[in-house]
Amino acid sequence: MINIFTEKVKKITTNLNLKKTILLVLNASKGWLILSVVMILAETILFLGSIYALKILVDKISHINFSDKNSESEIIKYVIFAAALAIGYAVARAISAYIIEVQATKVAHHIDEKIHLTAISLELSYFESPDYYDVLSRAKEAGSDRPNLVITTMLEIAKNILNLAAVGSLIFTINWILLPLLIAFVLPTLFVRIYFANKQNLWRIKHTPLERKSAYLSNLLTADVSAKEIRVFGLGEYLNNLYKKIRVEVFERNLNLSYKRTLSEVLTTSLASMGFFACIGYIAVGTVRGTTSVGDIVLFLVIFPQSFTIIQNISSGISILYHNNIFINSIFELFDLKIEEKADEKYIDLPKDQGITLELKNVSFTYPHAINPTLKNISITIPEGKIIAIVGLNGAGKSTLIKLLCKLYKPNQGEITMGGTNINSFNELEYRSQISPVFQDFSKYNVTAEDNIRFGDISKPYSEDDIIDASKKSGAHAFVEKFPHQYKTMMGRLFEDGHEVSIGQWQKLAIARALFSSARILIFDEATSALDAVAEKELYDSFRKRISNRSAVIISHRHSAIKHADYIYVLSGGTILQHGTDEELLNMDGDYAKLFKTPNPSS
């Protein structure tokens, strides 16, 4: 029995985890937190002072000597004193509420920023794991206002405890057993609330994937990306029924838990009320028997209900504190995700030469939680100033290769070198500044056209000429210059005055983004898949001129995109099957010749 109780207490204290919450709020707004504590203490003191001043005023009035000419002025003096304290209390409450609001805003901003900083510092593998999205969903559900609410609840509990101490001292003068009895009657309700807070938290964790799935379905039904297909294929009713099925299941389980909690609270609060009136009956019987004075019963009837309310407020505050802090643990769960430590690492400088060679040496890679390797014993050389092409069918491992080149993952075996040095020896951000990719699933930023291009190298000093030059090289300038505000035009339809364009035009902006950068190596992963044949031919026929003297890696299914490459690697099943020039590969028996030797309408 003792062990079970100890385990329950340990679980409660673990869930409560107040130290981390307090430190979080202190880091966000230390000064405002201290000020809010001071103001709540001042508010409590003024409240108790105003009650005491009214008591003195009543005592003075009851003992007044009406024949004394100075009595009126003396009474007025005490009235002014009591009024001043009451006004001070009202002012303190208003100021305290403002300070808490400011503090809450600062804490919310701090948590939002920390969530974003945590997200951008995590390795890419987290973003390819459902577990991460469960953690992120729970952290966002917890809300950025809960940590500050925990602190304010703690302060409210402290204030109520001070009030209880003041009022309870008077109850002790009547009968010492009354206050402990009252607390004992209220405790079952507190235990019930803590019990169901734990149950709700376990339910929340278990059903996070279900909640995320319903959110995903809701987004499908309301977002612009899927709007066309939902209407064309008549998916609206089907998806809505799936959504309703999940929500009904969630609602029913939630309501079932709420029903059990409500039933338990009805029983415990009824017990507390019975205890309250039992105490009143005890004092009343004592008065009849002569063991309690009339003065005691009058005092008791005035302060005892107030004590009962204060105890209930403390109990409610503790349960709210516990419930909110359980949610806050989800925020800490996100913050505690493993972030690769880099602070103590010593990096070497990147090669200063204008041209650098990037090389993969016997590289193998298996995704986290995967069994089979995606890439096996890959060796590719990307010499300075050369264009290298990589050809392969879907699932060959091309996109994974790009992630390794961008240092989004590290090889399990082998190494990647730049200028003969392992890329792990370079600072990650500095290394990535030398690689500028156009991903197959490129981002469409709902910002201005110029920002869509500048995002390729945001640290580069703003230059309208450089933006326009990159835009011309990618073919985007032809449509951007026709916008009413040209490069200042907002792209997409999410915001006011936004301009939506075709997927091919979005891809031209993505290409311009890569060309705008100062990177010495460009990577084009199916970067022209959405362009028409004429636009693609124009780009690649003058590709060397467009990229200047930089190196480039082109990944494509189209012969027209890769035939001008200096060297070509054929990737299949995660391994290099063939390599050579376009002419050499066309004259070999293999996948390359099968793909491109026969006339192909898309080439």
Side-chain angles (χ1 to χ4, degrees):
M1 180 66 74
I2 294 174
N3 289 337
I4 294 173
F5 179 74
T6 304
E7 284 298 317
K8 285 186 177 294
V9 170
K10 184 179 179 181
K11 183 179 180 181
I12 289 172
T13 53
T14 301
N15 284 336
L16 205 51
N17 205 358
L18 289 175
K19 184 179 178 181
K20 292 180 78 171
T21 305
I22 293 170
L23 288 174
L24 179 66
V25 176
L26 279 172
N27 288 332
S29 60
K30 184 178 180 180
W32 287 97
L33 175 59
I34 294 171
L35 193 56
S36 66
V37 172
V38 170
M39 286 308 302
I40 285 178
L41 287 173
E43 182 186 336
T44 304
I45 292 168
L46 287 167
F47 170 71
L48 296 174
S50 63
I51 292 176
Y52 184 71
L54 284 173
K55 177 185 178 301
I56 294 174
L57 179 61
V58 172
D59 288 343
K60 288 293 180 183
I61 292 173
S62 63
H63 293 92
I64 192 170
N65 184 358
F66 292 99
S67 61
D68 187 355
K69 294 180 179 179
N70 297 321
S71 298
E72 184 177 335
S73 60
E74 189 173 354
I75 292 298
I76 291 173
K77 182 177 69 175
Y78 281 106
V79 169
I80 292 172
F81 176 65
L85 287 173
I87 292 169
Y89 170 65
V91 172
R93 284 191 65 185
I95 295 173
S96 180
Y98 170 74
I99 290 171
I100 289 171
E101 184 179 352
V102 173
Q103 179 190 328
T105 303
K106 288 184 174 292
V107 171
H109 175 74
H110 176 77
I111 291 173
D112 282 343
E113 184 179 20
K114 196 164 183 179
I115 288 175
H116 296 154
L117 291 175
T118 299
I120 63 177
S121 64
L122 291 172
E123 293 182 350
L124 184 66
S125 57
Y126 283 99
F127 294 86
E128 297 178 346
S129 166
D131 292 340
Y132 164 73
Y133 291 103
D134 287 345
V135 171
L136 181 63
S137 176
R138 287 194 293 268
K140 288 185 173 181
E141 182 190 358
S144 54
D145 59 331
R146 287 186 191 270
N148 196 68
L149 187 59
V150 164
I151 301 299
T152 54
T153 304
M154 287 174 62
L155 294 173
E156 283 294 323
I157 292 170
K159 184 170 72 172
N160 279 314
I161 289 173
L162 289 174
N163 291 338
L164 182 63
V167 177
S169 61
L170 296 175
I171 296 178
F172 266 82
T173 61
I174 301 170
N175 193 315
W176 70 271
I177 197 68
L178 294 176
L179 194 61
L181 275 176
L182 204 54
I183 293 171
F185 283 123
V186 171
L187 281 177
T189 301
L190 174 60
F191 293 148
V192 163
R193 287 172 178 170
I194 290 176
Y195 171 78
F196 279 100
N198 284 326
K199 293 278 285 185
Q200 184 179 7
N201 184 54
L202 291 173
W203 184 92
R204 185 173 64 96
I205 293 171
K206 182 180 178 181
H207 292 89
T208 299
L210 206 59
E211 291 280 6
R212 285 201 305 110
K213 187 174 181 180
S214 71
Y216 169 72
L217 291 170
S218 177
N219 187 59
L220 279 181
L221 289 164
T222 57
D224 63 327
V225 177
S226 51
K228 294 190 292 293
E229 288 200 3
I230 285 176
R231 281 152 180 78
V232 169
F233 297 126
L235 299 175
E237 186 175 350
Y238 175 76
L239 292 175
N240 190 49
N241 287 336
L242 284 179
Y243 173 79
K244 285 195 295 184
K245 184 179 178 181
I246 294 173
R247 295 318 302 171
V248 167
E249 181 181 350
V250 170
F251 289 153
E252 284 181 351
R253 294 185 182 184
N254 223 346
L255 289 173
N256 183 48
L257 190 63
S258 296
Y259 172 76
K260 291 179 179 178
R261 185 188 66 244
T262 303
L263 189 62
S264 299
E265 283 193 22
V266 166
L267 294 173
T268 55
T269 51
S270 298
L271 178 64
S273 297
M274 288 168 61
F276 172 71
F277 284 102
C279 289
I280 291 178
Y282 173 77
I283 292 296
V285 170
T287 305
V288 173
R289 293 177 178 176
T291 57
T292 306
S293 68
V294 175
D296 284 343
I297 190 67
V298 170
L299 180 63
F300 175 80
L301 291 174
V302 170
I303 63 173
F304 194 67
Q306 190 173 5
S307 299
F308 183 62
T309 301
I310 292 172
I311 292 171
Q312 284 186 316
N313 288 341
I314 293 172
S315 172
S316 177
I318 292 172
S319 64
I320 291 170
L321 177 70
Y322 185 76
H323 184 264
N324 283 324
N325 221 78
I326 283 180
F327 273 77
I328 292 170
N329 284 336
S330 296
I331 297 176
F332 292 129
E333 186 183 5
L334 175 67
F335 293 165
D336 291 340
L337 288 178
K338 184 181 177 183
I339 299 173
E340 188 177 358
E341 295 293 336
K342 301 167 187 173
D344 297 330
E345 291 186 27
K346 293 185 179 180
Y347 300 107
I348 65 174
D349 293 333
L350 288 166
K352 300 296 183 184
D353 307 25
Q354 180 61 34
I356 49 175
T357 296
L358 191 63
E359 191 172 0
L360 292 88
K361 300 178 180 179
N362 302 315
V363 166
S364 296
F365 176 75
T366 303
Y367 279 102
H369 312 300
I371 299 174
N372 299 318
T374 304
L375 297 175
K376 294 168 283 187
N377 200 33
I378 300 292
S379 293
I380 294 175
T381 301
I382 306 165
E384 56 182 79
K386 299 295 183 181
I387 300 173
I388 302 300
I390 299 174
V391 178
L393 298 177
N394 292 333
K398 303 186 298 298
S399 296
T400 301
L401 188 62
I402 300 303
K403 294 174 185 176
L404 293 177
L405 289 174
C406 294
K407 206 181 175 184
L408 296 173
Y409 284 104
K410 293 180 181 179
N412 300 120
Q413 294 177 359
E415 66 173 354
I416 302 174
T417 64
M418 177 181 277
T421 303
N422 192 306
I423 63 173
N424 293 330
S425 301
F426 304 126
N427 176 278
E428 196 169 80
L429 291 177
E430 289 184 10
Y431 169 77
R432 286 178 182 159
S433 69
Q434 302 304 308
I435 310 290
S436 186
V438 181
F439 293 110
Q440 187 174 1
D441 53 346
F442 61 89
S443 294
K444 298 189 290 183
Y445 297 103
N446 280 250
V447 294
T448 62
E450 70 173 10
D451 277 346
N452 262 279
I453 298 171
R454 284 184 62 239
F455 282 2
D457 193 347
I458 201 67
S459 62
K460 188 176 178 179
Y462 176 83
S463 169
E464 187 176 4
D465 290 339
D466 288 348
I467 292 170
I468 294 174
D469 180 59
S471 182
K472 286 181 177 178
K473 287 178 178 178
S474 73
H477 182 71
F479 67 85
V480 173
E481 68 173 345
K482 295 177 182 177
F483 289 150
H485 303 294
Q486 295 186 334
Y487 287 88
K488 302 293 182 184
T489 301
M490 184 69 68
M491 302 302 300
R493 290 290 186 190
L494 285 183
F495 305 108
E496 191 176 355
D497 295 330
H499 278 66
E500 186 57 86
V501 293
S502 70
I503 186 66
Q505 290 171 318
W506 274 113
Q507 196 166 49
K508 287 179 181 180
L509 285 173
I511 294 170
R513 191 154 56 237
L515 295 173
F516 175 78
S517 77
S518 303
R520 290 183 276 182
I521 300 171
L522 304 178
I523 299 176
F524 280 40
D525 181 11
E526 299 289 358
T528 57
S529 58
L531 302 187
D532 58 63
V534 174
E536 184 184 50
K537 185 176 186 302
E538 288 178 355
L539 177 70
Y540 284 121
D541 282 353
S542 58
F543 192 63
R544 290 185 190 277
K545 182 179 178 181
R546 292 172 192 265
I547 67 172
S548 301
N549 58 349
R550 295 185 278 190
S551 307
V553 177
I554 297 174
I555 296 175
S556 179
H557 291 99
R558 297 182 182 181
H559 190 228
S560 58
I562 60 175
K563 65 183 180 181
H564 298 301
D566 296 298
Y567 208 73
I568 302 167
Y569 293 87
V570 181
L571 189 64
S572 178
T575 60
I576 300 294
L577 293 184
Q578 294 177 298
H579 53 87
T581 63
D582 177 61
E583 185 178 353
E584 290 171 344
L585 290 170
L586 286 174
N587 290 324
M588 293 182 190
D589 288 331
D591 289 351
Y592 192 85
K594 289 177 183 177
L595 282 170
F596 301 125
K597 198 167 186 178
T598 304
N600 193 323
S602 64
S603 55

